[in-house]
Amino acid sequence: MRAIKPGLRLKSAVCTTEIMVIRAPAGEVRLDCGGCEMLSVTESAPAGAKLEPAHAGGSLIGKRYVDAEERYELLCTKGGEGALSLDGTALQIKQAKALPSSD
Amino acid sequence: MNLSMLLDMAADAFGERPAVSCGARTLTYGELRLKAHAVAAQLKGGGFAHAALLDTNGLAAPATLFGSAYAGVPYVPLNYRLTDAELNALLSRIAPAWLVTRPEQLARLALPGGITPGDGDQLPAGGADTPVPQAPEDPRAVAIQLFTSGTTGAPKAAVLRHENVMSYILGTVEFGSAGAEERALVSVPPYHIAGISAVLSSTYSGRHIVLLPSFDAEEWLRIAADQRITHAFLVPTMLVRIIESLEAAKAAASLPALRAIAYGGGKMPASVIARALQLLPSVDFTNAYGLTETSATICLLTPEDHRNAIASAEPAVRRRLGSVGRPLPTVELEVRGESGRVLGAGEPGLVFVRGGQVAGEYRGSGSLLDAQGWFATQDRGWLDADGYLYLEGRADDVIVRGGENISPGEVEETLLAHAAVADAVVVAIPSEQWGEAVGAAVVLRPGAQVTAEVLQQWVRERLRSSRVPERVLFRGELPYNEMGKVLRRVVRAEFA
């Protein structure tokens, strides 16, 4: 469990996935990637951490991941083999909103 | 949070794609990142407080922009059109700084102490032995500092923090959304917020940027055709010159690749955009309204809005060609009266905005946001019933005639609608009777002849009598700055 706030960057313990928090209400949550709790950029993976086959759906660079209510939003800044989940529930890719290029 | 993340993601995901070209030189995203790493190493080694750029558009601009972000040093692009004395004064304010420039610029400057020059054409390429910088993540750190062209006193230094710039890019651009064939032609100078946001947006979307060192309509058309440019941003004067070139050539524009033109940075007359839509029917036009202090665009008039307006017989829809559109989904916008009351549709007042990209801050004077995070743009305008914003000009430009507020834009539009008038600007002139009155400087179309009395009568028939220009000056041309903004203070001085 950890408090997350916009701008916080985390990395997967079991694959190359990295994320940045875009939106999060106050309070602590458990953010997992590949079935293991994500780490701050300076932490190292605990011994024996490995990608769980049930959470190997992968993450894609540049995609935004949200919970069902879209209270939380993460930006995947590096893709990997692990899938993202929040408090045990898989996060989904948010549909891109199409804005015309303004610059 | 650090804006170098945009380049890291692009270089990781499509490092082999061309990122930026200028003349015959091109860098891929991977090469641009290496070069930015090398710039960061130089900045960190020198103990600099700022990384300044004094150059036209070139590869040094994106390399210094991203390099300074990696190093955690504010990026300060300077206006190369300023006088030597003005530049030296700005340089003194940012020392100790590394100044990326060119030998011909250095020749004209007596550099103040604490300024270390570097040749923008000779920036190291970076390689396997270049240290990979650990970009600082403080979202409140200053990413970019832009000196605004103050009308009075010393220029103010607008401050944009990493969180402001990132809020704009992440809120408006989808990562990697550009097709491999997309190329954006950037002709706004690197010291303008639109020139910076063009680089950042294109990087995050994966669009290849082609930089034009200095704008010329013929050159713009040649490069747009030769390099199969798909996207471009233009300020109004640039679009006017391109239209004139196309019309003079009397040939159908051979720009088959061109898909989208965004315009902004000044008032675009509705007549100009109507001509542009006619000349380039397959191009999507987007009006982008924004300020330096808001990290670029806050309102958009979309291509669909343009097409609906031009096709509509309904005046309320048709006039939207003269609107700057609706706020971005990530930006809130209000029009308020003098007392601070939020105004309803059709009521003109002051435009306020709020959102993550709104910096609203100058060096030394702190944040100008109110307690609820709102920023006063100092622009006057009104919203229509569907939320489209119409701008009337800067609050400072309002003419107060006997207690009545007159916005110059309304009178200018009316004058421009006269067949003999090519250009017009309206300013406050001193009046013994009213305090201020309306003065108009007018440029006539070639061969056209009209008297002041005829123009006064023209305005009287269409607007209230208080709007009728008390004095009309005829001029060969109006004074504009290089970004197409008319210099009202110069016109006011001509009436004095």
Side-chain angles (χ1 to χ4, degrees):
Chain A
M1 302 285 280
R2 71 167 78 234
I4 62 172
K5 61 173 189 172
L8 178 71
R9 298 181 74 167
L10 298 171
K11 66 179 183 187
S12 173
V14 296
C15 70
T16 54
T17 300
E18 292 184 16
I19 63 104
M20 185 173 81
V21 178
I22 299 289
R23 185 167 58 227
E28 294 205 338
V29 289
R30 182 178 162 130
L31 256 183
D32 286 1
C33 179
C36 281
E37 182 152 24
M38 296 191 81
L39 311 169
S40 74
V41 284
T42 51
E43 287 173 306
S44 18
K50 65 175 190 345
L51 181 69
E52 289 184 25
H55 298 279
S59 67
L60 293 171
I61 186 169
K63 295 295 179 191
R64 293 146 184 275
Y65 289 83
V66 290
D67 61 322
E69 292 83 37
E70 297 202 7
R71 293 165 66 228
Y72 294 87
E73 183 172 328
L74 315 175
L75 173 68
C76 177
T77 57
K78 242 182 203 166
E81 293 172 11
L84 295 163
S85 59
L86 186 133
D87 288 340
T89 305
L91 295 174
Q92 304 297 324
I93 289 181
K94 185 185 180 184
Q95 285 310 310
K97 44 182 190 295
L99 279 178
S101 171
S102 59
D103 40 36
Chain B
M1 193 182 292
N2 184 297
L3 64 81
S4 63
M5 190 186 97
L6 305 171
L7 179 57
D8 275 332
M9 289 174 68
D12 284 345
F14 33 81
E16 298 300 309
R17 269 207 212 177
V20 54
S21 298
C22 188
R25 299 172 71 196
T26 295
L27 295 174
T28 64
Y29 284 102
E31 289 166 344
L32 177 57
R33 174 159 65 176
L34 276 178
K35 204 173 179 70
H37 285 174
V39 167
Q42 293 226 359
L43 281 167
K44 288 171 104 166
F48 300 114
H50 297 91
L53 177 85
L54 181 64
D55 201 353
T56 52
N57 269 325
L59 302 184
T64 310
L65 166 63
F66 285 115
S68 56
Y70 280 119
V73 170
Y75 173 60
V76 190
L78 298 167
N79 183 346
Y80 46 81
R81 293 171 196 269
L82 296 177
T83 65
D84 302 1
E86 288 168 328
L87 278 169
N88 280 329
L90 296 184
L91 287 168
S92 310
R93 287 167 65 180
I94 58 168
W98 193 40
L99 174 65
V100 177
T101 184
R102 277 208 260 209
E104 62 263 35
Q105 295 282 3
L106 283 177
R108 71 181 178 115
L109 291 173
L111 291 182
I115 302 295
T116 306
D119 188 339
D121 284 336
Q122 307 294 328
L123 293 179
D129 55 345
T130 306
V132 176
Q134 197 68 47
E137 289 287 327
D138 177 7
R140 299 282 301 151
V142 175
I144 297 161
Q145 183 178 308
L146 295 172
F147 287 105
T148 61
S149 49
T151 47
T152 52
K156 289 182 288 186
V159 161
L160 302 177
R161 299 180 183 273
H162 282 274
E163 60 182 1
N164 303 130
V165 180
M166 290 295 274
S167 173
Y168 171 64
I169 299 296
L170 299 180
T172 58
V173 185
E174 196 59 26
F175 178 72
S177 56
E181 76 293 351
E182 291 189 20
R183 284 186 191 81
L185 184 51
V186 176
S187 50
V188 277
Y191 58 81
H192 192 274
I193 185 64
I196 294 170
S197 61
V199 169
L200 298 175
S201 295
S202 288
T203 298
Y204 196 60
S205 69
R207 187 176 291 139
H208 180 180
I209 307 159
V210 179
L211 296 170
L212 190 60
S214 63
F215 179 80
D216 170 84
E218 302 296 330
E219 181 72 350
W220 189 94
L221 284 165
R222 191 185 64 75
I223 291 183
D226 288 357
Q227 309 224 13
R228 303 192 58 77
I229 295 297
T230 57
H231 293 70
F233 178 91
L234 296 168
V235 299
T237 42
M238 293 177 183
L239 184 59
V240 168
R241 289 195 195 132
I242 287 166
I243 289 174
E244 284 167 354
S245 276
L246 286 173
E247 285 176 342
K250 290 200 174 37
S254 58
L255 301 167
L258 190 63
R259 287 180 213 166
I261 291 178
Y263 61 91
K267 186 170 171 54
M268 178 74 83
S271 59
V272 171
I273 199 66
R275 273 157 75 201
L277 284 164
Q278 229 168 23
L279 276 168
L280 300 165
S282 60
V283 172
D284 280 351
F285 283 88
T286 300
N287 186 352
Y289 159 58
L291 298 91
T292 302
E293 297 89 337
T294 61
S295 317
T297 309
I298 49 176
C299 282
L300 285 179
L301 188 75
T302 68
E304 195 187 358
D305 291 329
H306 281 82
R307 280 190 285 268
N308 289 345
I310 204 100
S312 180
E314 216 182 302
V317 178
R318 198 168 166 86
R319 76 175 170 206
R320 282 189 193 143
L321 275 190
S323 146
V324 295
R326 293 191 278 198
L328 296 175
T330 46
V331 167
E332 295 171 89
L333 188 146
E334 286 179 357
V335 175
R336 299 185 192 169
E338 306 284 331
S339 65
R341 184 176 65 89
V342 177
L343 302 177
E347 295 183 276
L350 294 166
V351 177
F352 283 73
V353 289
R354 178 163 74 173
Q357 70 184 75
V358 179
E361 184 181 353
Y362 300 104
R363 185 85 175 257
S365 51
S367 172
L368 300 181
L369 307 185
D370 70 12
Q372 284 74 45
W374 291 94
F375 174 66
T377 62
Q378 303 299 337
D379 281 329
R380 287 184 58 83
W382 54 278
L383 292 162
D384 75 8
D386 295 304
Y388 288 82
L389 178 65
Y390 291 76
L391 293 178
E392 295 188 330
R394 300 291 290 168
D396 299 348
D397 297 331
V398 166
I399 302 159
V400 185
R401 182 182 185 273
E404 187 181 355
N405 285 348
I406 299 171
S407 95
E410 178 186 22
V411 186
E412 287 162 5
E413 284 281 325
T414 305
L415 287 167
L416 284 167
H418 191 283
V421 176
D423 204 357
V425 61
V426 165
V427 297
I429 58 173
S431 161
E432 277 189 21
Q433 189 178 2
W434 303 104
E436 285 181 349
V438 177
V442 169
V443 180
L444 296 182
R445 290 192 186 283
Q449 286 201 332
V450 71
T451 61
E453 291 71 30
V454 168
L455 291 178
Q456 286 164 331
Q457 184 59 25
W458 172 267
V459 174
R460 189 172 293 114
E461 285 164 8
R462 285 160 181 81
L463 301 172
R464 265 178 274 174
S465 60
S466 60
R467 268 70 172 165
V468 175
E470 196 167 288
R471 288 176 62 199
V472 180
L473 295 180
F474 292 96
R475 288 286 177 265
E477 59 179 11
L478 298 180
Y480 283 94
N481 75 5
E482 73 282 2
M483 291 301 291
K485 283 200 172 139
V486 68
L487 299 170
R488 289 175 193 277
R489 64 192 143 88
V490 176
V491 179
R492 272 197 294 270
E494 289 187 28
F495 278 99

